[in-house]
Amino acid sequence: MLFKLFIRVCARKKKQQARYFIHEHYFHRKANESTNNVSVSHFKHVFKQRCLPIVDGYTCIIADCPICNNVENRSKLYVNKRTGFFMCDKCTFNGSWNILEQILLKQISSEKFREIILLKKNKQRNEDFDKKWKEKKEKCKNIMDLTTNEYDALLDNFSFPPVLQADMSQLQCIYDKTSNILYFPLIGLNNSIVGYKSVTTDQKLEHTFPATEVSGCIEYKQCNSKMPLQCESTAVVVGMIDDLLALISQKSSNVIICLPYNLKTLPQRLLPYMESYNKLILWFGNDEISWYTVRQFAIKLNEKRCYFVRPTDVQPRPKLAADIGCNLKNILQNVQSVWHKSIITFHELREEVLSDLQNIDKVQGIKWKRYPTLNRLLKGHRRGELTILTGPTGSGKTTFMSEYSLDLAMQGVNTLWGSFEIRNARLARTMLQQMVGMPLDENLEMFNLYADAFEKLPIYFMTFHGQQALKVVIDAIEHATYVYDIAHVIIDNVQFMMGTSNDTKFMDRFWKQDDIISKFRNFATEQNCHVTAIIHPRKERIEEGLTTASIFGGAKASQEADNVLIIQDNRLSSGRGKKFLQVAKNRYSGDLGIMKLEFEKSSLSYSVKTKLKNTEDDKLCLRQTQVITD
């Protein structure tokens, strides 16, 4: 609904549409990023060959930078232990492991690497940002330059907690009184400003520039020379600026960090900045997104040093907790470790069970807006589950799944599509038409408007097509899950990873499919990610309808799956009747049932349509789009 309102409002303001959209690739994966299959031991071995001492950090291997050769002031090189991505804290050098390995092994010189076009682009991007930030500062005022009355008025306008002006000035924020926007710089390695977060009084919207892969965050440190060393090595991590200010106002922690993109994603470029902290306390609130994000970000940051504030109604995110009169310092004294032992007792699970019961609506997962019947049956879309979708050939499995996943992506569920049967361009066109609800070929003049809106969705596409090896696919999915915080993976379809050799025995194909299902089951559980796999049914008569036993292969697919969805199409057997989706298995709640599927060709959609109304939502959408360019 919000996207349709978004498109409608922007269409009315066609003259201003160029200002409404961010033309950066906000979510989508860059073509030059590749999956790293090198082990940490290999990283260490290469550095040892070059006789470079290393420090094995929480998320990175740290060594003296062999590229910039800064002798007077040693620069540090950070190499991500999971992806191999490297970056220097003093210069603009960064890139993939294969380039760094060639430099370390002297296969190419660092001087030659300096000439690589990617480096020039990074340098140009930094210069462009410096120029943009300088322009912002020229028309803004520093917080310390405001009078007491002006500062008090600012706190009232933004509904901020009573933060001292001296504490606010530590954040180096600047205020544009004309447009009523507050800018908070994002600090990266070497205390450089690498981006900013802007806040407006209108709905207190936060926007980050650059829109993706920033290497800095907002950090507050108490000015106290007697601060114990353990306090300096502990930081509270929050997602929003008002949470940061709430903690500052109560002097709840000596070090507080505000992430650049709230809970949407945690850029791997930010991980080196957080290496110096031995303890990270994640405090994200008690809504459904926060529940999953704590676990996902903790994996990235190294679970052994991560703690979290248990999400309950009496312990919401810091701003809300302060509003209801909670003592934030007392809450932080009762944090719990994310890291769990292999064997635990009910005593250790007791609070978690109680928390689940108190927040039953939140743990059910993300709700669909296009399919209310699925909300009634499945209760929601949850991480860590495996869903199997099957149906006769030509019944519309891919079309349904594209809209099914689009619905979730429009609500912020980071989605990875693996379409081995249909080209990505065709799949993207289908999803784009489902989003706008009208034929694209009849509205070409609006294509750029629609495409800009679609480009902001957190949807990624794997470039595989046709037969693929299971290991290659799993490696790509693991990489995307780590780098882009993927919450939903779609595999269309499993048969394309089973091999096509003529001498493959029939039972061998059953065994191979069982192995594929087992791998995806383990991946969903270990990575806390939802996997939806499309599998063709057996070649059998469908007059009486398909069942879970109709899924091709052995019984492992239906046994391992948390949910089994079957598209039943009576028209294929009799030429009459209806098409509907059957929930044949539901491990979460046990509710089974059917949902009618009525296909509308103009929008390629199975969802129930609702008419747009010219309400206050239109005005809200317009205000949101006008802030984007800031």
Side-chain angles (χ1 to χ4, degrees):
M1 175 68 75
L2 182 58
F3 270 86
K4 291 183 178 180
L5 290 172
F6 178 80
I7 293 168
R8 182 179 177 183
V9 172
C10 290
R12 294 174 183 170
K13 302 291 182 179
K14 199 168 184 180
K15 293 181 181 180
Q16 301 177 5
Q17 71 182 50
R19 299 193 299 109
Y20 292 162
F21 296 100
I22 299 174
H23 296 288
E24 296 284 339
H25 289 272
Y26 187 83
F27 284 102
H28 297 276
R29 176 177 178 174
K30 307 295 186 295
N32 60 355
E33 292 182 353
S34 58
T35 304
N36 175 64
N37 294 317
V38 184
S39 64
V40 176
S41 60
H42 180 74
F43 294 152
K44 296 179 179 179
H45 177 70
V46 174
F47 278 103
K48 186 177 181 181
Q49 283 183 296
R50 183 70 187 272
C51 298
L52 288 174
I54 63 171
V55 175
D56 191 357
Y58 291 103
T59 62
C60 299
I61 293 175
I62 309 168
D64 292 338
C65 181
I67 304 172
C68 59
N69 298 319
N70 192 337
V71 178
E72 295 180 357
N73 190 5
R74 283 288 183 182
S75 55
K76 294 297 181 182
L77 187 77
Y78 294 83
V79 182
N80 190 294
K81 293 194 286 188
R82 183 72 176 266
T83 65
F85 176 83
F86 72 90
M87 61 184 295
C88 177
D89 65 344
K90 296 284 172 55
C91 60
T92 58
F93 290 106
N94 62 78
S96 60
W97 167 254
N98 58 347
I99 295 176
L100 179 60
E101 185 176 21
Q102 293 180 61
I103 296 173
L104 291 173
L105 299 179
K106 297 184 177 180
Q107 294 176 357
I108 62 173
S109 64
S110 57
E111 289 75 16
K112 183 176 180 181
F113 176 69
R114 295 172 193 268
E115 301 173 0
I116 293 179
I117 187 66
L118 179 61
L119 173 61
K120 294 180 180 179
K121 287 183 177 180
N122 288 336
K123 186 175 182 181
Q124 181 64 41
R125 184 174 62 178
N126 293 337
E127 291 175 352
D128 291 342
F129 169 73
D130 292 340
K131 181 179 179 181
K132 186 179 181 70
W133 180 245
K134 184 178 180 181
E135 293 174 353
K136 295 285 186 187
K137 292 183 70 175
E138 288 176 352
K139 66 177 183 178
C140 296
K141 295 182 67 174
N142 290 326
I143 291 298
M144 281 305 295
D145 295 335
L146 299 178
T147 65
T148 302
N149 292 335
E150 288 176 332
Y151 181 72
D152 292 339
L154 182 145
L155 294 181
D156 291 337
N157 289 339
F158 287 88
S159 300
F160 283 155
V163 180
L164 296 177
Q165 191 169 359
D167 289 333
M168 183 75 85
S169 65
Q170 287 189 40
L171 304 177
Q172 304 179 46
C173 51
I174 55 178
Y175 178 52
D176 186 346
K177 189 174 182 179
T178 305
S179 57
N180 208 19
I181 300 177
L182 198 58
Y183 297 96
F184 292 80
L186 300 174
I187 308 301
L189 293 170
N190 201 25
N191 292 322
S192 58
I193 297 177
V194 295
Y196 63 79
K197 251 190 174 187
S198 63
V199 185
T200 66
T201 56
D202 187 10
Q203 300 297 320
K204 296 184 68 176
L205 297 175
E206 293 184 7
H207 294 285
T208 305
F209 183 89
T212 180
E213 288 298 315
V214 74
S215 58
C217 59
I218 305 173
E219 183 184 61
Y220 168 81
K221 287 186 178 180
Q222 285 193 31
C223 295
N224 185 359
S225 59
K226 298 181 180 180
M227 185 187 302
L229 182 62
Q230 63 269 24
C231 294
E232 290 185 342
S233 63
T234 300
V236 180
V237 181
V238 297
M240 301 183 68
I241 291 175
D242 56 1
D243 291 333
L244 169 75
L245 298 179
L247 289 165
I248 294 175
S249 66
Q250 292 194 18
K251 304 292 184 181
S252 304
S253 177
N254 293 313
V255 182
I256 310 167
I257 291 175
C258 180
L259 298 177
Y261 301 113
N262 196 0
L263 307 186
K264 291 181 181 178
T265 183
L266 177 64
Q268 63 172 332
R269 293 172 182 262
L270 181 59
L271 300 182
Y273 184 84
M274 306 179 78
E275 275 292 333
S276 60
Y277 298 105
N278 298 327
K279 182 178 180 180
L280 296 173
I281 301 174
L282 310 182
W283 194 351
F284 295 155
N286 64 335
D287 57 88
E288 59 269 20
I289 296 177
S290 304
W291 278 69
Y292 299 127
T293 307
V294 166
R295 174 68 176 172
Q296 198 67 25
F297 284 8
I299 294 174
K300 243 180 181 178
L301 295 167
N302 192 322
E303 291 174 300
K304 292 186 177 180
R305 65 167 172 166
C306 289
Y307 295 75
F308 71 104
V309 176
R310 182 165 296 282
T312 63
D313 289 337
V314 296
Q315 294 184 166
R317 65 185 184 90
K319 173 61 168 62
L320 302 180
D323 289 344
I324 61 177
C326 296
N327 187 313
L328 305 187
K329 186 176 291 188
N330 290 342
I331 293 177
L332 290 173
Q333 291 176 352
N334 296 305
V335 295
Q336 299 186 18
S337 174
V338 175
W339 180 259
H340 295 289
K341 298 179 181 179
S342 299
I343 301 176
I344 55 179
T345 64
F346 179 74
H347 175 74
E348 296 169 281
L349 293 172
R350 181 170 179 165
E351 291 299 320
E352 186 172 349
V353 172
L354 176 60
S355 182
D356 284 353
L357 294 174
Q358 291 173 337
N359 300 275
I360 190 66
D361 291 334
K362 298 180 177 64
V363 299
Q364 287 178 346
I366 307 297
K367 301 295 190 292
W368 288 271
K369 293 187 176 180
R370 299 182 176 220
Y371 301 113
T373 303
L374 288 183
N375 294 329
R376 179 174 57 82
L377 296 174
L378 297 177
K379 308 305 180 186
H381 183 270
R382 296 166 292 276
R383 285 178 177 260
E385 292 188 354
L386 173 65
T387 294
I388 299 296
L389 173 65
T390 190
T393 302
S395 60
K397 295 186 293 296
T398 302
T399 304
F400 169 77
M401 185 48 58
S402 67
E403 188 176 24
Y404 173 101
S405 62
L406 174 68
D407 188 335
L408 298 170
M410 290 172 67
Q411 299 177 67
V413 177
N414 293 9
T415 302
L416 177 66
W417 253 96
S419 177
F420 304 94
E421 192 171 10
I422 298 175
R423 292 185 302 109
N424 285 331
R426 182 179 173 187
L427 175 62
R429 174 188 169 182
T430 299
M431 299 181 78
L432 178 59
Q433 188 160 330
Q434 289 172 336
M435 186 190 79
V436 302
M438 62 182 70
L440 296 174
D441 55 351
E442 299 176 9
N443 297 272
L444 291 178
E445 72 280 1
M446 300 293 289
F447 174 77
N448 289 331
L449 184 63
Y450 299 150
D452 286 341
F454 184 82
E455 193 171 358
K456 293 181 178 65
L457 294 178
I459 301 177
Y460 307 80
F461 302 93
M462 289 189 283
T463 56
F464 301 127
H465 188 71
Q467 206 70 32
Q468 297 295 332
L470 175 61
K471 186 179 186 305
V472 174
V473 176
I474 291 291
D475 287 344
I477 295 174
E478 288 180 346
H479 174 86
T481 302
Y482 177 81
V483 174
Y484 304 105
D485 305 306
I486 298 299
H488 186 200
V489 176
I490 301 101
I491 301 298
D492 184 17
N493 58 62
V494 169
Q495 273 83 351
F496 279 88
M497 286 176 283
M498 292 173 56
T500 57
S501 177
N502 293 329
D503 58 353
T504 302
K505 294 182 180 179
F506 189 69
M507 289 304 295
D508 289 342
R509 290 177 61 81
F510 277 20
W511 176 86
K512 196 164 188 178
Q513 178 172 312
D514 289 347
D515 182 57
I516 293 170
I517 295 298
S518 177
K519 291 289 195 306
F520 282 128
R521 170 71 272 175
N522 293 336
F523 170 81
T525 302
E526 293 173 2
Q527 300 296 326
N528 193 32
C529 179
H530 193 115
V531 177
T532 300
I534 299 176
I535 303 179
H536 286 307
R538 302 173 188 270
K539 301 301 180 183
E540 59 185 18
R541 298 177 64 86
I542 60 173
E543 286 80 3
E544 297 181 359
L546 301 176
T547 65
T548 54
S550 303
I551 300 174
F552 182 85
K556 192 175 186 65
S558 58
Q559 291 173 348
E560 294 280 357
D562 297 285
N563 312 294
V564 176
L565 308 179
I566 303 175
I567 294 181
Q568 305 282 10
D569 194 349
N570 297 333
R571 301 171 305 170
L572 297 178
S573 58
S574 63
R576 302 167 56 188
K578 298 286 186 180
K579 181 194 294 188
F580 57 90
L581 180 76
Q582 178 185 1
V583 178
K585 182 180 180 181
N586 178 3
R587 184 170 284 165
Y588 179 79
S589 65
D591 294 335
L592 307 179
I594 63 172
M595 178 182 73
K596 292 183 180 179
L597 295 177
E598 296 182 1
F599 184 67
E600 183 178 332
K601 190 172 183 180
S602 62
S603 61
L604 303 180
S605 174
Y606 289 104
S607 61
V608 178
K609 301 297 180 296
T610 57
K611 295 183 179 180
L612 290 174
K613 296 181 180 179
N614 187 13
T615 62
E616 290 297 322
D617 291 337
D618 289 11
K619 299 178 182 178
L620 172 60
C621 186
L622 176 59
R623 292 196 297 269
Q624 290 174 330
T625 56
Q626 288 175 332
V627 175
I628 290 177
T629 53
D630 292 324

